[in-house]
Amino acid sequence: MTFSITAHDPQSKARTGTLTTDHGPIQTPIFMPVGTAGTVKAVHQRELETDINAEIILGNTYHLYLRPGLEVVGQAGGLHAFNGWRRPILTDSGGYQVYSLSNTRKIKEEGVTFKSHIDGSKHIFTPEGVMDIQRTIGADIMMAFDECTPYPCEYTYARQSMEMTHRWLDRCIDRFDTTEGHYGYRQTLFPIVQGSTYSDLRKQSAEVIASKEREGNAIGGLAVGEPAEEMYSTIELVNSILPIDKPRYLMGVGTPANILEAIALGVDMFDCVMPTRNARHGILFTTEGIINIKNEKWSRDFSPLDSGLGGYASTFYSKAYLRHLFKAEELLSGQIASLHNLTFYLWLVRQARAHIAAGDFLSWKNGIIARLMHRL
């Protein structure tokens, strides 16, 4: 994997770049739709490629390991062959899912034992095992195994967890560097900065991660309930330490405002379930603000979902029709809304790239956030 910076915003830390993988290039800043179980919920691969123009999607190690299982994914030839996605894929390590299973898991130095949410069966994730799982899944970008701490988090626990994450990282790197991919293309490994919202811990973790000199780096443990101001200050601190010439991936973030503010702080890659999860509940992100399409006010609004956005779903279907589908509990409602919201998120990062290249990103960002986050 290679990364080249193509433009800088003169008034912020925002930058554009090209990240090149064996499955194709990725223009940054980029938003990555989340395909937890090998699918971006309610969206066809053809729509992701041609309508949304997603340049990279995510798969989830924990979920794919449990179902359909590594034997099936491996026999298919990896996740690309299994789900038919021809562009790059990133897999997370399962660390966040393990974090969310707080009542059914035990964390030790060896790794994490947990019970499957599907059938209650017991499993263990170790740093080495998670590398092997991601080799079998075949993602272009693999994530190191880490512990995601909750918020709020006691300082002592945050420090101990961070130190263990660093020890796990060394084991991940050793396993990754002594194994090969299964499918004839190259993979890369991103370490993850942890340390909760404690600035001294985040500084220490960023320094450790930077010292590993991998091809890209991630910031984890945010968007777990902390105030936005703490998230932004943490990102600013970490990005002042992480190498400027390597991509920075902010995990699990977030709202349109979060993404634009983080781009201004020098982040290059984002993922979040928000566009598809909110879509399934009738919440639409548009170029004029946020819509709850289930509200009565849209029942006779025959205008497109978002005429300023472009894209098939956003310009073909009316607000009144989509509201009808939701009220009638038709499955098509979630499909249309998901397609629309993902179109919006990819439009947002494309707009950011254009304004960075034009040199006016900061003023554009400051002017558009209030409009995008306004409830219509």
Side-chain angles (χ1 to χ4, degrees), residues 5 15 35 44 121 129 196 279 298 318 324 359:
I5 297 173
R15 72 264 191 92
H44 292 108
S121 57
S196 188
W298 309 114
S318 73
H324 156 70

Side-chain angles (χ1 to χ4, degrees), residues 284-338:
L284 307 183
F285 297 96
T286 79
T287 56
E288 298 300 322
I290 299 171
I291 290 175
N292 183 343
I293 201 65
K294 295 181 182 181
N295 288 346
E296 173 66 24
K297 67 183 294 184
W298 309 114
S299 63
R300 290 175 175 78
D301 188 329
F302 303 108
S303 65
L305 298 180
D306 191 344
S307 58
L309 185 59
Y312 172 73
S314 308
T315 57
F316 183 83
Y317 297 105
S318 73
K319 298 180 182 73
Y321 179 65
L322 183 56
R323 180 184 184 275
H324 156 70
L325 294 181
F326 269 104
K327 300 303 284 188
E329 298 183 354
E330 288 287 342
L331 293 177
L332 184 59
S333 61
Q335 292 180 276
I336 293 172
S338 297

Side-chain angles (χ1 to χ4, degrees), residues 318-374:
S318 73
K319 298 180 182 73
Y321 179 65
L322 183 56
R323 180 184 184 275
H324 156 70
L325 294 181
F326 269 104
K327 300 303 284 188
E329 298 183 354
E330 288 287 342
L331 293 177
L332 184 59
S333 61
Q335 292 180 276
I336 293 172
S338 297
L339 185 53
H340 165 81
N341 275 357
L342 287 173
T343 299
F344 170 86
Y345 266 66
L346 270 296
W347 168 86
L348 184 67
V349 292
R350 281 195 295 272
Q351 288 291 302
R353 294 198 297 264
H355 284 280
I356 294 168
D360 65 351
F361 169 79
L362 187 64
S363 59
W364 170 78
K365 183 264 295 182
N366 290 341
I368 200 173
I369 281 180
R371 189 178 88 204
L372 296 181
M373 301 307 295
H374 172 66

Side-chain angles (χ1 to χ4, degrees), residues 250-272:
L250 179 59
M251 305 179 74
V253 177
T255 68
N258 292 158
I259 289 173
L260 293 181
E261 295 292 2
I263 288 173
L265 296 171
V267 173
D268 307 293
M269 303 168 68
F270 302 87
D271 80 284
C272 190

Side-chain angles (χ1 to χ4, degrees), residues 16-69:
T16 63
T18 301
L19 196 159
T20 305
T21 75
D22 285 356
H23 280 100
I26 303 160
Q27 303 303 314
T28 63
I30 191 64
F31 179 82
M32 304 178 284
V34 177
T36 301
T39 169
V40 177
K41 281 183 171 49
V43 181
H44 292 108
Q45 265 67 301
R46 178 185 58 79
E47 293 169 330
L48 279 171
E49 185 173 333
T50 61
D51 296 345
I52 298 168
N53 194 23
E55 298 180 40
I56 176 174
I57 63 173
L58 267 68
N60 182 269
T61 292
Y62 167 85
H63 288 280
L64 292 168
Y65 162 80
L66 291 176
R67 187 168 54 193

Side-chain angles (χ1 to χ4, degrees), residues 110-238:
E110 178 188 4
V112 180
T113 57
F114 61 91
K115 291 183 179 180
S116 164
H117 73 284
I118 299 170
D119 59 10
S121 57
K122 291 185 178 180
H123 303 268
I124 182 169
F125 272 5
T126 65
E128 295 82 5
V130 165
M131 293 299 96
D132 295 345
I133 293 169
Q134 291 183 86
R135 286 293 198 192
T136 299
I137 294 171
D140 299 85
I141 300 173
M142 299 166 42
M143 302 306 301
F145 191 49
D146 66 329
E147 183 190 2
C148 177
T149 53
Y151 180 88
C153 181
E154 292 288 340
Y155 180 88
T156 299
Y157 186 92
R159 177 178 56 79
Q160 292 172 345
S161 173
M162 177 199 71
E163 291 170 347
M164 184 174 65
T165 288
H166 294 166
R167 294 192 296 272
W168 284 357
L169 172 60
D170 288 335
R171 292 164 59 187
C172 287
I173 290 173
D174 183 63
R175 186 63 150 233
F176 181 87
D177 288 349
T178 56
T179 57
E180 297 289 338
H182 301 332
Y183 310 113
Y185 54 84
R186 289 167 292 186
Q187 297 174 280
T188 191
L189 173 65
F190 280 23
I192 303 171
V193 177
Q194 287 291 350
S196 188
T197 53
Y198 298 104
S199 58
D200 61 324
L201 298 183
R202 284 288 180 172
K203 179 176 182 293
Q204 180 182 344
S205 187
E207 289 170 348
V208 168
I209 267 56
S211 73
K212 303 303 178 182
E213 298 183 343
R214 308 310 294 189
E215 293 168 304
N217 299 295
I219 307 170
L222 295 175
V224 292
E226 78 282 354
E229 294 74 18
E230 290 194 36
M231 177 171 67
Y232 299 146
S233 63
T234 299
I235 294 168
E236 184 174 24
L237 171 63
V238 169

